[in-house]
Amino acid sequence: MSLASKLKMEPPLSDGTKGKLYVKVHRQGRPPKPWIWAIYEDGRLYAQKIAAHSYSSAEEAWQVGWAMLSRLGKSGG
């Protein structure tokens, strides 16, 4: 399975009043841990939440970012 298919976006979460939230994974810095996740809202320029730690792979960062997005959706943002 390719990295692109592993990182396929899940449907964005929304509470009906805000824009949809989604996860982006960014390469930040140099190895060994150059990956971070960030949660954005549609129509907003800046991330609402950004990873406090970096990750060894884009897939690992995406999984943690998606878990955080899911938590935000359940808590109401």
Coordinates of all heavy atoms in Angstrom, one line a residue:
M1 N 0.9 -1.2 0.0 CA 0.0 0.0 0.0 C 0.9 1.2 0.0 O 1.9 1.3 0.7 CB -0.9 0.0 1.2 CG -1.9 1.1 1.2 SD -3.1 1.2 2.5 CE -3.3 -0.4 3.3
S2 N 0.6 2.2 -0.8 CA 1.4 3.4 -0.9 C 1.1 4.3 0.2 O 0.1 4.3 0.9 CB 1.1 4.1 -2.2 OG -0.1 4.8 -2.2
L3 N 2.1 5.2 0.5 CA 2.0 6.2 1.5 C 0.7 7.1 1.3 O 0.0 7.4 2.2 CB 3.2 7.1 1.6 CG 3.2 8.2 2.7 CD1 3.1 7.5 4.1 CD2 4.5 9.0 2.6
A4 N 0.5 7.4 0.0 CA -0.7 8.3 -0.3 C -2.0 7.6 0.1 O -2.9 8.3 0.6 CB -0.7 8.6 -1.8
S5 N -2.1 6.3 -0.1 CA -3.3 5.6 0.2 C -3.5 5.5 1.7 O -4.6 5.5 2.3 CB -3.5 4.3 -0.5 OG -2.4 3.4 -0.1
K6 N -2.4 5.3 2.4 CA -2.4 5.2 3.9 C -2.8 6.5 4.5 O -3.4 6.5 5.6 CB -1.0 4.9 4.5 CG -0.6 3.4 4.2 CD 0.7 3.2 4.8 CE 1.2 1.8 4.5 NZ 2.6 1.6 5.0
L7 N -2.5 7.6 3.9 CA -2.8 8.9 4.4 C -4.1 9.5 3.9 O -4.3 10.7 4.0 CB -1.6 9.9 4.2 CG -0.3 9.5 4.8 CD1 0.8 10.4 4.5 CD2 -0.5 9.3 6.3
K8 N -4.9 8.7 3.2 CA -6.1 9.2 2.7 C -7.0 9.9 3.7 O -7.1 9.4 4.8 CB -6.9 8.1 2.1 CG -8.2 8.5 1.3 CD -8.8 7.3 0.7 CE -9.7 6.7 1.7 NZ -10.5 5.6 1.2
M9 N -7.5 11.1 3.4 CA -8.3 11.8 4.4 C -9.6 11.1 4.7 O -10.2 10.6 3.8 CB -8.6 13.2 3.8 CG -7.5 14.1 3.7 SD -7.1 15.0 5.1 CE -8.6 16.0 5.4
E10 N -9.9 11.1 6.0 CA -11.2 10.6 6.4 C -12.2 11.7 6.2 O -11.8 12.9 6.1 CB -11.1 10.2 7.9 CG -10.2 9.0 8.2 CD -10.7 7.7 7.6 OE1 -11.9 7.5 7.4 OE2 -9.8 6.9 7.3
P11 N -13.5 11.5 6.3 CA -14.4 12.6 6.2 C -14.2 13.6 7.3 O -14.0 13.2 8.4 CB -15.8 11.9 6.3 CG -15.6 10.5 6.0 CD -14.1 10.2 6.4
P12 N -14.2 14.9 7.0 CA -14.0 15.9 8.1 C -15.1 15.9 9.1 O -16.3 15.5 8.8 CB -14.0 17.2 7.3 CG -13.8 16.9 5.9 CD -14.3 15.5 5.7
L13 N -14.8 16.3 10.3 CA -15.8 16.4 11.3 C -16.4 17.8 11.4 O -15.7 18.7 11.1 CB -15.2 16.0 12.7 CG -14.7 14.6 12.9 CD1 -14.0 14.5 14.2 CD2 -15.8 13.6 12.7
S14 N -17.7 17.9 11.8 CA -18.3 19.2 11.9 C -19.4 19.1 12.9 O -20.1 18.1 13.0 CB -18.9 19.7 10.6 OG -19.5 20.9 10.7
D15 N -19.6 20.2 13.7 CA -20.7 20.2 14.6 C -22.0 20.9 14.1 O -22.9 21.1 14.7 CB -20.3 20.8 15.9 CG -20.0 22.3 15.8 OD1 -20.2 22.8 14.7 OD2 -19.7 22.9 16.9
G16 N -21.9 21.3 12.8 CA -23.0 21.9 12.1 C -23.0 23.4 12.2 O -23.6 24.1 11.4
T17 N -22.3 24.0 13.1 CA -22.2 25.5 13.2 C -20.9 26.0 12.8 O -20.8 27.1 12.3 CB -22.5 26.0 14.7 OG1 -21.5 25.4 15.5 CG2 -23.8 25.6 15.1
K18 N -19.8 25.2 12.9 CA -18.5 25.6 12.5 C -18.2 25.0 11.2 O -18.9 24.1 10.7 CB -17.5 25.2 13.5 CG -17.6 25.8 14.9 CD -16.5 25.2 15.8 CE -16.7 25.8 17.2 NZ -15.6 25.2 18.1
G19 N -17.0 25.5 10.6 CA -16.6 24.9 9.4 C -16.1 23.5 9.7 O -15.8 23.1 10.8
K20 N -15.9 22.7 8.7 CA -15.4 21.3 8.8 C -13.9 21.3 9.3 O -13.1 22.1 8.8 CB -15.5 20.5 7.5 CG -17.0 20.3 7.2 CD -17.1 19.5 5.9 CE -18.6 19.3 5.6 NZ -18.8 18.6 4.3
L21 N -13.6 20.4 10.2 CA -12.2 20.3 10.7 C -11.6 19.1 9.9 O -12.2 18.2 9.6 CB -12.2 19.9 12.2 CG -12.9 21.0 13.1 CD1 -12.9 20.4 14.5 CD2 -12.2 22.3 13.0
Y22 N -10.3 19.3 9.7 CA -9.5 18.3 9.0 C -8.1 18.3 9.4 O -7.6 19.3 10.0 CB -9.6 18.4 7.5 CG -9.1 19.8 7.0 CD1 -7.8 19.9 6.5 CD2 -9.9 20.9 6.9 CE1 -7.3 21.1 6.0 CE2 -9.5 22.1 6.5 CZ -8.2 22.2 6.0 OH -7.7 23.4 5.6
V23 N -7.4 17.2 9.2 CA -6.0 17.0 9.6 C -5.1 17.2 8.4 O -5.3 16.7 7.4 CB -5.7 15.6 10.2 CG1 -4.3 15.4 10.5 CG2 -6.6 15.4 11.5
K24 N -4.0 17.9 8.6 CA -2.9 18.0 7.6 C -1.6 17.5 8.3 O -1.4 17.8 9.5 CB -2.7 19.4 7.2 CG -3.5 19.9 6.1 CD -3.1 21.3 5.6 CE -3.8 21.8 4.5 NZ -3.3 23.1 4.0
V25 N -0.8 16.8 7.6 CA 0.5 16.3 8.1 C 1.6 17.1 7.4 O 1.5 17.3 6.1 CB 0.7 14.8 7.9 CG1 2.1 14.4 8.2 CG2 -0.3 14.1 8.8
H26 N 2.5 17.7 8.1 CA 3.5 18.6 7.5 C 4.9 18.0 7.8 O 5.1 17.5 8.9 CB 3.5 20.0 8.2 CG 2.2 20.7 8.0 ND1 1.9 21.4 6.9 CD2 1.1 20.8 8.8 CE1 0.7 21.9 7.1 NE2 0.2 21.6 8.2
R27 N 5.8 18.1 6.9 CA 7.2 17.8 7.2 C 7.8 19.0 7.8 O 7.8 20.1 7.2 CB 7.9 17.4 5.9 CG 9.3 17.0 6.2 CD 9.9 16.2 5.0 NE 10.6 15.1 5.6 CZ 10.8 13.9 5.0 NH1 10.4 13.8 3.8 NH2 11.4 13.0 5.7
Q28 N 8.3 18.9 9.0 CA 8.9 20.0 9.7 C 10.3 19.6 10.2 O 10.5 18.7 11.0 CB 8.0 20.2 11.0 CG 8.4 21.4 11.8 CD 7.4 22.5 11.7 OE1 6.5 22.5 10.9 NE2 7.5 23.4 12.6
G29 N 11.3 20.3 9.7 CA 12.6 20.0 10.1 C 13.2 18.8 9.3 O 12.7 18.4 8.3
R30 N 14.3 18.3 9.9 CA 15.0 17.2 9.3 C 14.8 15.9 10.2 O 14.5 16.0 11.3 CB 16.5 17.6 9.2 CG 16.7 18.8 8.4 CD 18.1 19.2 8.3 NE 18.8 18.2 7.6 CZ 20.0 18.5 7.1 NH1 20.6 19.6 7.3 NH2 20.7 17.5 6.5
P31 N 15.1 14.8 9.5 CA 15.0 13.5 10.3 C 15.9 13.6 11.5 O 16.8 14.3 11.6 CB 15.5 12.5 9.3 CG 15.3 13.1 7.9 CD 15.5 14.6 8.1
P32 N 15.6 12.8 12.5 CA 14.8 11.6 12.5 C 13.3 11.8 12.8 O 12.5 10.9 12.6 CB 15.4 10.8 13.6 CG 15.9 11.8 14.6 CD 16.3 12.9 13.8
K33 N 12.9 12.9 13.3 CA 11.4 13.1 13.6 C 10.9 14.4 12.9 O 10.6 15.4 13.6 CB 11.2 13.1 15.1 CG 11.5 11.8 15.7 CD 11.1 11.9 17.2 CE 11.2 10.5 17.8 NZ 10.5 10.4 19.0
P34 N 10.7 14.4 11.6 CA 10.4 15.6 10.9 C 8.9 15.8 10.7 O 8.5 16.8 10.1 CB 11.0 15.4 9.6 CG 10.9 13.9 9.3 CD 11.1 13.3 10.7
W35 N 8.0 14.9 11.2 CA 6.6 15.1 10.9 C 5.7 15.6 12.0 O 5.9 15.1 13.2 CB 6.0 13.7 10.5 CG 6.7 13.2 9.2 CD1 7.7 12.3 9.2 CD2 6.4 13.5 7.9 NE1 8.1 12.0 7.9 CE2 7.3 12.8 7.1 CE3 5.5 14.3 7.3 CZ2 7.2 12.8 5.7 CZ3 5.4 14.4 5.9 CH2 6.3 13.7 5.1
I36 N 4.8 16.5 11.7 CA 3.8 16.9 12.7 C 2.5 17.0 12.1 O 2.3 17.0 10.9 CB 4.2 18.3 13.3 CG1 4.1 19.4 12.2 CG2 5.5 18.4 14.0 CD1 4.1 20.8 12.7
W37 N 1.4 16.9 12.9 CA 0.1 17.1 12.4 C -0.5 18.4 12.9 O 0.0 19.0 13.8 CB -0.8 16.0 13.0 CG -0.9 15.8 14.5 CD1 -0.2 15.0 15.2 CD2 -1.6 16.6 15.4 NE1 -0.4 15.2 16.6 CE2 -1.3 16.2 16.7 CE3 -2.6 17.7 15.2 CZ2 -1.9 16.7 17.8 CZ3 -3.1 18.2 16.4 CH2 -2.8 17.7 17.7
A38 N -1.5 18.9 12.1 CA -2.2 20.1 12.5 C -3.6 20.0 12.1 O -3.9 19.3 11.1 CB -1.6 21.3 11.8
I39 N -4.5 20.5 12.9 CA -5.9 20.5 12.7 C -6.4 21.9 12.2 O -6.1 22.9 12.9 CB -6.7 20.0 13.9 CG1 -6.3 18.6 14.3 CG2 -8.2 20.2 13.7 CD1 -6.9 18.1 15.5
Y40 N -7.0 21.9 11.1 CA -7.5 23.1 10.5 C -9.0 23.1 10.4 O -9.6 22.1 10.3 CB -7.0 23.3 9.1 CG -5.5 23.6 9.0 CD1 -4.6 22.6 9.0 CD2 -5.0 24.9 8.9 CE1 -3.2 22.9 9.0 CE2 -3.7 25.2 8.9 CZ -2.8 24.2 8.9 OH -1.4 24.4 8.9
E41 N -9.6 24.3 10.3 CA -11.0 24.5 10.0 C -11.2 25.1 8.6 O -10.4 26.0 8.3 CB -11.7 25.4 11.1 CG -13.2 25.5 10.9 CD -13.8 26.4 12.0 OE1 -13.1 26.7 13.0 OE2 -14.9 26.9 11.8
D42 N -12.1 24.6 7.9 CA -12.4 25.1 6.5 C -12.5 26.7 6.6 O -13.2 27.2 7.5 CB -13.7 24.6 5.9 CG -13.5 23.2 5.3 OD1 -12.3 22.8 5.0 OD2 -14.5 22.6 5.0
G43 N -11.8 27.3 5.7 CA -11.9 28.8 5.6 C -11.0 29.5 6.6 O -11.0 30.8 6.5
R44 N -10.3 28.8 7.4 CA -9.3 29.5 8.3 C -7.9 29.3 7.8 O -7.5 28.2 7.3 CB -9.4 28.8 9.7 CG -10.8 29.0 10.3 CD -11.0 30.4 10.9 NE -12.3 30.5 11.4 CZ -12.6 31.0 12.6 NH1 -11.6 31.4 13.4 NH2 -13.8 31.1 13.0
L45 N -7.1 30.3 8.0 CA -5.7 30.3 7.5 C -4.8 29.6 8.5 O -3.9 28.9 8.1 CB -5.2 31.7 7.3 CG -3.8 31.9 6.8 CD1 -3.7 31.3 5.4 CD2 -3.5 33.4 6.7
Y46 N -5.1 29.7 9.8 CA -4.2 29.1 10.8 C -4.8 27.9 11.4 O -6.0 27.8 11.6 CB -3.9 30.2 11.9 CG -3.2 31.4 11.3 CD1 -3.9 32.6 11.1 CD2 -1.9 31.3 10.9 CE1 -3.3 33.7 10.6 CE2 -1.2 32.5 10.3 CZ -2.0 33.6 10.2 OH -1.4 34.7 9.6
A47 N -3.9 27.0 11.8 CA -4.3 25.7 12.5 C -5.0 26.0 13.8 O -4.5 26.9 14.5 CB -3.1 24.8 12.7
Q48 N -6.0 25.2 14.2 CA -6.6 25.3 15.5 C -5.8 24.6 16.5 O -5.7 25.0 17.7 CB -8.0 24.7 15.5 CG -9.0 25.6 14.8 CD -10.4 25.1 15.1 OE1 -10.6 23.9 15.5 NE2 -11.4 26.0 15.0
K49 N -5.2 23.5 16.2 CA -4.3 22.7 17.1 C -3.1 22.2 16.3 O -3.3 21.9 15.1 CB -5.1 21.4 17.6 CG -6.4 21.7 18.3 CD -6.1 21.9 19.8 CE -7.4 22.0 20.5 NZ -7.3 22.7 21.8
I50 N -2.0 22.2 16.9 CA -0.8 21.7 16.3 C -0.1 20.7 17.2 O -0.1 20.9 18.5 CB 0.2 22.9 16.0 CG1 -0.5 23.8 15.0 CG2 1.5 22.3 15.4 CD1 0.3 25.1 14.7
A51 N 0.5 19.7 16.7 CA 1.2 18.7 17.5 C 2.3 19.3 18.4 O 3.0 20.2 17.9 CB 1.9 17.6 16.6
A52 N 2.3 18.9 19.6 CA 3.4 19.3 20.5 C 4.6 18.5 20.3 O 5.7 19.0 20.7 CB 2.9 19.2 22.0
H53 N 4.5 17.4 19.7 CA 5.7 16.5 19.5 C 5.8 16.2 18.0 O 4.7 16.2 17.3 CB 5.5 15.2 20.3 CG 5.3 15.4 21.8 ND1 6.3 15.8 22.6 CD2 4.2 15.3 22.5 CE1 5.8 15.9 23.8 NE2 4.5 15.7 23.8
S54 N 6.9 15.8 17.6 CA 7.1 15.4 16.2 C 7.1 13.9 16.1 O 7.3 13.2 17.1 CB 8.3 16.0 15.6 OG 9.5 15.7 16.3
Y55 N 7.0 13.4 14.9 CA 6.8 11.9 14.7 C 7.8 11.4 13.7 O 8.2 12.2 12.8 CB 5.4 11.6 14.3 CG 4.4 12.0 15.4 CD1 3.9 13.3 15.4 CD2 4.1 11.1 16.5 CE1 3.0 13.7 16.4 CE2 3.3 11.5 17.5 CZ 2.7 12.8 17.5 OH 1.9 13.2 18.5
S56 N 8.2 10.2 13.7 CA 9.1 9.6 12.8 C 8.6 9.4 11.4 O 9.4 9.3 10.5 CB 9.6 8.2 13.3 OG 10.2 8.4 14.6
S57 N 7.3 9.2 11.3 CA 6.7 9.0 9.9 C 5.4 9.8 9.8 O 4.8 10.2 10.7 CB 6.4 7.5 9.8 OG 5.3 7.2 10.6
A58 N 5.1 10.1 8.5 CA 3.9 10.8 8.2 C 2.7 10.0 8.6 O 1.7 10.6 9.2 CB 3.8 11.1 6.7
E59 N 2.7 8.7 8.5 CA 1.6 7.9 8.9 C 1.3 8.0 10.4 O 0.2 8.1 10.8 CB 1.8 6.4 8.5 CG 0.7 5.5 8.9 CD 0.8 4.1 8.4 OE1 1.9 3.7 7.9 OE2 -0.1 3.3 8.6
E60 N 2.4 7.9 11.2 CA 2.3 8.0 12.6 C 1.7 9.4 13.0 O 0.8 9.5 13.9 CB 3.6 7.8 13.3 CG 3.6 7.8 14.8 CD 5.0 7.7 15.4 OE1 6.0 7.8 14.7 OE2 5.0 7.5 16.6
A61 N 2.2 10.4 12.4 CA 1.6 11.8 12.7 C 0.2 11.9 12.3 O -0.6 12.4 13.1 CB 2.5 12.8 12.0
W62 N -0.2 11.3 11.2 CA -1.6 11.4 10.7 C -2.5 10.6 11.7 O -3.6 11.1 12.0 CB -1.7 10.8 9.3 CG -3.1 10.9 8.8 CD1 -3.6 12.0 8.2 CD2 -4.1 10.0 8.9 NE1 -4.9 11.8 7.8 CE2 -5.3 10.5 8.3 CE3 -4.2 8.7 9.4 CZ2 -6.5 9.9 8.2 CZ3 -5.4 8.0 9.3 CH2 -6.5 8.6 8.7
Q63 N -2.1 9.4 12.1 CA -2.9 8.6 13.1 C -3.1 9.4 14.4 O -4.3 9.4 14.9 CB -2.2 7.3 13.3 CG -2.3 6.4 12.2 CD -1.5 5.1 12.4 OE1 -0.7 5.0 13.4 NE2 -1.6 4.1 11.5
V64 N -2.1 10.0 14.9 CA -2.3 10.8 16.1 C -3.1 12.0 15.9 O -4.0 12.4 16.7 CB -0.9 11.2 16.8 CG1 -1.1 12.0 18.0 CG2 -0.1 9.9 17.1
G65 N -2.9 12.7 14.8 CA -3.7 13.9 14.4 C -5.2 13.5 14.3 O -6.1 14.2 14.7
W66 N -5.5 12.4 13.6 CA -6.9 11.9 13.4 C -7.5 11.6 14.7 O -8.6 11.9 15.0 CB -6.9 10.8 12.4 CG -8.3 10.4 12.2 CD1 -8.9 9.2 12.7 CD2 -9.4 11.1 11.6 NE1 -10.2 9.2 12.4 CE2 -10.6 10.3 11.7 CE3 -9.4 12.3 10.9 CZ2 -11.8 10.7 11.1 CZ3 -10.7 12.7 10.4 CH2 -11.8 11.9 10.5
A67 N -6.7 10.9 15.6 CA -7.3 10.6 17.0 C -7.6 11.9 17.7 O -8.7 12.0 18.4 CB -6.2 9.8 17.8
M68 N -6.8 12.9 17.6 CA -7.1 14.2 18.3 C -8.3 14.9 17.6 O -9.2 15.4 18.4 CB -5.9 15.1 18.2 CG -6.1 16.5 18.8 SD -6.5 16.4 20.6 CE -4.9 16.0 21.2
L69 N -8.4 14.8 16.3 CA -9.6 15.4 15.6 C -10.8 14.7 16.1 O -11.8 15.3 16.4 CB -9.4 15.2 14.1 CG -10.5 15.7 13.3 CD1 -10.7 17.2 13.4 CD2 -10.3 15.4 11.8
S70 N -10.8 13.4 16.2 CA -11.9 12.6 16.7 C -12.3 13.0 18.1 O -13.5 13.2 18.4 CB -11.7 11.1 16.7 OG -11.5 10.7 15.3
R71 N -11.3 13.2 19.0 CA -11.6 13.7 20.3 C -12.2 15.1 20.3 O -13.2 15.3 21.1 CB -10.3 13.7 21.2 CG -10.0 12.5 21.9 CD -8.8 12.5 22.8 NE -8.7 13.7 23.6 CZ -7.5 14.1 24.1 NH1 -6.4 13.4 24.0 NH2 -7.5 15.2 24.9
L72 N -11.7 16.0 19.5 CA -12.3 17.3 19.4 C -13.8 17.2 18.9 O -14.6 18.0 19.4 CB -11.5 18.2 18.4 CG -10.2 18.6 18.9 CD1 -9.4 19.3 17.7 CD2 -10.3 19.6 20.1
G73 N -14.0 16.4 18.0 CA -15.4 16.2 17.5 C -16.4 15.7 18.6 O -17.5 16.2 18.7
K74 N -15.9 14.8 19.4 CA -16.7 14.3 20.5 C -16.9 15.3 21.6 O -18.0 15.3 22.3 CB -16.2 13.0 21.0 CG -16.3 11.9 20.0 CD -15.6 10.6 20.5 CE -15.7 9.5 19.4 NZ -14.9 8.4 19.7
S75 N -15.9 16.1 21.8 CA -16.0 17.1 22.9 C -16.7 18.4 22.5 O -16.9 19.3 23.3 CB -14.6 17.4 23.4 OG -13.9 18.2 22.5
G76 N -17.0 18.5 21.2 CA -17.6 19.8 20.7 C -16.7 20.8 20.3 O -17.0 22.0 20.2
G77 N -15.4 20.5 20.2 CA -14.4 21.4 19.6 C -13.6 22.1 20.6 O -13.0 23.1 20.4

